[in-house]
Amino acid sequence: MDLTVRMDTLLTLGAAEAGNAGTDGASDFDVLVQTYRPRVFRFLLASVRDRESAENLTQDCFLRAYRARDQFRGESNRTTWLMQIAINLVRKHESSSRLKFWRRALRPGLSPADLHEWLPDHQVSPEAAVLAKEQVNAIWSVVTQLSERQRTVFLLRFVEEMDLLEIAGATGMKEGTVKTHLFRALQSVRAKLEVTK
Amino acid sequence: MNPHLSALEISECFIGEAAPFIAEHVRECDRCRAEVTLLGDSLYQFRYSIERWSSHLDHAEYQVVYRTTPARGHYGSPRIAGLSSLAVHGALAAVIVVLGTFQPVQSLVKQRITALEINLRPYLAQQDKAAAGGGGGGAHQLLNASKGKLPKPAPRQFTPPRVDPVPDPKLPMVPSIIAPDDVPNIQANNYGDPLSHLGIPSNGIGSSGGIGIGVGGGVGSDRGPGTGVGFGGGFSGGPYRIGGGVSAPSVLSKVEPEYSEEARKAKWQGTVVVSVIVDELGRPRNVTVLRSLGLGLDQKAVEAVSQWRFKPGLKGGKPVPVFATIEVNFRLL
């Protein structure tokens, strides 16, 4: 099936990334950064929808990881560990209500209608292109309206392709809770897609 | 078998492991497959867009930072940092301005600046006092200027000095000459030329106010509002006395004095002593009679001496005005 094939490719890609940074030890932190930086940045960008903040938070995330690299016990995998730090940073960022007003006033972030510009160009037909555009915009507008937890879980699952256990480890939620949040987020997306259709 | 999949079951396909019956149903039921495909496609497109967006914005310049020691702390947003920097600098500037308005601070600064002032006097070009200024005046009177004190030196002259002050001036003004403060002066009750001799008060034979034989509002034998020999304002330094490093002028050309008729008739002979200032150019100035002989011989002596030419006296290799006393002998053969 088309869908599963796509999912599989992406999953194997993720596995290859993880395999590159296989060696343990703090000496090759460089390799870790090179391997995981795009993922962390992508997640943070989608979470805060602002390039500067995302860059700052990515920097911060790896700085914290570097300082705490000795305490990394190796129980969870590196993705979970880094995402845990990133999620905490996002929470802190969201809750700094003092800056909220200014952030809103100074940079409006990426509006939901802009994400479709990054769609691949190799659509089979103009119709498909329009459809894809509408789909992406619908999901994006839903994601921006989701609560912080639901959005985090949604992004981790459908952008970062993490499985439920990893998400549970990274967010500190139980697996069932993660499932519930995912389900609600998916329901919102589906409702929006129905409207668009 | 229920006709279609529930929302939860469709979600199961994406959330976790879907049960085998769900996969089977999706494969068979067109409607459910359409829903799952739509959702899956949308999610795929969404993910792809996010990835492209992110990799477009991402920069790979960060590894350098990690390779070296990590930066200390989190510096927050650059905009906030800029604003706070502006605030701090503004506050500092305000503090400096406010401090500057306090009197003690101002005086302290002034003191400090005075202490820093460099004394340039040793490096300035030496001014030759002897060559500076001079002046003269007079009121077309018959007699030479009488002896007296110099008026007060001032940077600007409003009234030239007079030997006989105006009795009741409508606009009283202290007479002055344009000269430095350290002009040598004498003690006297009235104004006059300190280099002249005592006599009947006179403003001198010069012109344009002042005292002396010169022109202009000053005192002395030359032009200008100053005093002494020379032009313009200031003070010619006064003639030097011979000796003490000042060489005596020597006569270059002489004119023999004539005998006056009266003296010849009276067979009158003797010596007239004339005081003269030999200026830098060797010309006699301010020729005055020190010891008179009378019968017109004094005037003859002054006439003659005034036409003499001298080699000026030197001080330090430079010609300076020098006082000289000349004895003019009148002998009848």
Side-chain angles (χ1 to χ4, degrees):
Chain A
M1 199 181 86
D2 196 22
L3 169 70
T4 39
V5 170
R6 276 180 187 168
M7 286 283 227
D8 281 346
T9 8
L10 291 168
L11 279 173
T12 43
L13 268 177
E17 277 177 7
N20 282 344
T23 48
D24 280 45
S27 58
D28 46 15
F29 195 78
D30 250 5
V31 182
L32 179 91
V33 173
Q34 276 172 9
T35 316
Y36 288 100
R37 203 198 120 78
R39 283 190 89 173
V40 172
F41 178 71
R42 190 169 60 214
F43 169 70
L44 289 168
L45 184 67
S47 295
V48 300
R49 297 179 298 284
D50 172 37
R51 180 191 180 169
E52 276 177 44
S53 305
E55 275 173 355
N56 284 335
L57 290 177
T58 311
Q59 184 87 354
D60 228 12
C61 176
F62 280 106
L63 183 62
R64 285 179 179 212
Y66 181 80
R67 286 189 178 151
R69 67 188 188 282
D70 297 334
Q71 293 149 32
F72 178 60
R73 295 183 296 274
E75 288 168 8
S76 49
N77 67 31
R78 285 155 189 273
T79 319
T80 320
W81 177 51
L82 285 172
M83 281 303 166
Q84 210 172 335
I85 301 175
I87 289 163
N88 284 334
L89 285 171
V90 169
R91 279 190 193 145
K92 216 174 101 184
H93 183 79
E94 297 275 317
S95 63
S96 60
S97 55
R98 190 162 49 97
L99 300 176
K100 235 175 208 167
F101 169 75
W102 289 105
R103 202 179 300 128
R104 218 171 19 220
L106 293 176
R107 18 182 142 95
L110 186 78
S111 79
D114 290 341
L115 192 66
H116 62 81
E117 284 172 16
W118 302 105
L119 269 170
D121 303 322
H122 52 79
Q123 296 291 340
V124 278
S125 66
E127 274 173 50
V130 171
L131 187 66
K133 187 172 151 184
E134 279 177 357
Q135 287 167 350
V136 165
N137 283 346
I139 297 186
W140 185 234
S141 65
V142 169
V143 165
T144 52
Q145 286 158 18
L146 286 178
S147 74
E148 190 261 326
R149 280 170 170 231
Q150 283 186 16
R151 193 187 59 221
T152 303
V153 169
F154 184 86
L155 290 174
L156 288 179
R157 180 72 189 100
F158 294 110
V159 178
E160 303 305 325
E161 303 275 319
M162 288 162 76
D163 61 33
L164 289 181
L165 262 173
E166 282 179 325
I167 296 175
T171 52
M173 291 187 263
K174 281 181 190 146
E175 208 183 331
T177 324
V178 173
K179 237 177 181 173
T180 316
H181 280 307
L182 265 181
F183 174 68
R184 285 184 189 153
L186 263 187
Q187 280 306 108
S188 313
V189 169
R190 279 187 70 196
K192 187 80 180 182
L193 282 175
E194 289 291 323
V195 171
T196 327
K197 199 161 65 180
Chain B
M1 201 180 189
N2 52 349
H4 290 297
L5 290 176
S6 68
L8 187 64
E9 281 163 347
I10 287 178
S11 302
E12 280 282 313
C13 300
F14 300 97
I15 291 174
E17 303 297 312
F21 77 91
I22 297 179
E24 202 177 323
H25 181 89
V26 167
R27 240 175 276 133
E28 283 167 5
C29 172
D30 282 346
R31 201 187 129 199
C32 291
R33 188 164 67 222
E35 281 209 31
V36 170
T37 313
L38 171 69
L39 190 54
D41 262 348
S42 308
L43 288 173
Y44 171 77
Q45 304 282 15
F46 174 67
R47 176 175 182 218
Y48 197 96
S49 303
I50 293 267
E51 272 180 3
R52 280 195 73 195
W53 180 38
S54 148
S55 62
H56 179 81
L57 294 184
D58 200 2
H59 292 302
E61 63 201 34
Y62 287 80
Q63 40 186 337
V64 181
V65 177
Y66 289 106
R67 202 182 299 267
T68 56
T69 51
R72 275 175 193 279
H74 174 58
Y75 293 101
S77 132
R79 203 173 256 104
I80 304 289
L83 284 176
S84 48
S85 162
L86 186 71
V88 167
H89 281 85
L92 274 179
V95 163
I96 289 169
V97 168
V98 167
L99 272 181
T101 57
F102 287 126
Q103 194 65 42
V105 177
Q106 281 176 355
S107 60
L108 198 71
V109 169
K110 213 174 276 178
Q111 220 176 337
R112 173 70 73 180
I113 286 171
T114 325
L116 286 174
E117 197 179 43
I118 301 163
N119 184 15
L120 287 174
R121 194 169 282 274
Y123 308 103
L124 291 174
Q126 294 286 335
Q127 281 185 334
D128 194 0
K129 258 192 171 180
H140 300 292
Q141 290 177 342
L142 293 175
L143 294 171
N144 267 337
S146 55
K147 195 171 178 121
K149 67 176 177 184
L150 283 173
K152 232 176 139 174
R156 196 168 162 198
Q157 186 182 47
F158 292 99
T159 317
R162 288 171 62 94
V163 172
D164 46 340
V166 180
D168 194 10
K170 282 188 175 152
L171 186 64
M173 179 61 83
V174 181
S176 58
I177 52 167
I178 297 177
D181 287 335
D182 52 353
V183 175
N185 208 343
I186 58 166
Q187 293 289 327
N189 289 329
N190 56 332
Y191 293 126
D193 186 351
L195 301 177
S196 187
H197 58 274
L198 289 165
I200 300 162
S202 166
N203 282 324
I205 58 176
S207 59
S208 308
I211 300 166
I213 60 171
V215 180
V219 177
S221 57
D222 232 315
R223 278 179 290 178
T227 183
V229 183
F231 300 95
F235 162 55
S236 70
Y240 287 89
R241 303 271 168 190
I242 299 163
V246 181
S247 66
S250 51
V251 178
L252 291 178
S253 69
K254 269 187 192 177
V255 174
E256 290 298 322
E258 291 171 17
Y259 236 93
S260 67
E261 275 309 303
E262 298 89 340
R264 189 179 290 138
K265 278 179 186 165
K267 297 194 166 74
W268 190 253
Q269 47 186 357
T271 305
V272 178
V273 180
V274 177
S275 155
V276 69
I277 298 170
V278 179
D279 70 10
E280 298 96 319
L281 298 175
R283 290 175 302 198
R285 296 265 174 203
N286 210 9
V287 185
T288 50
V289 178
L290 288 183
R291 195 193 295 159
S292 171
L293 205 59
L295 293 181
L297 290 178
D298 296 353
Q299 283 81 5
K300 292 293 178 190
V302 170
E303 258 175 41
V305 169
S306 294
Q307 297 173 46
W308 290 13
R309 284 294 173 268
F310 299 85
K311 187 176 172 233
L314 300 175
K315 183 177 190 290
K318 280 183 181 173
V320 288
V322 173
F323 266 122
T325 312
I326 298 167
E327 292 186 353
V328 184
N329 289 318
F330 290 91
R331 289 274 177 269
L332 284 173
L333 297 174

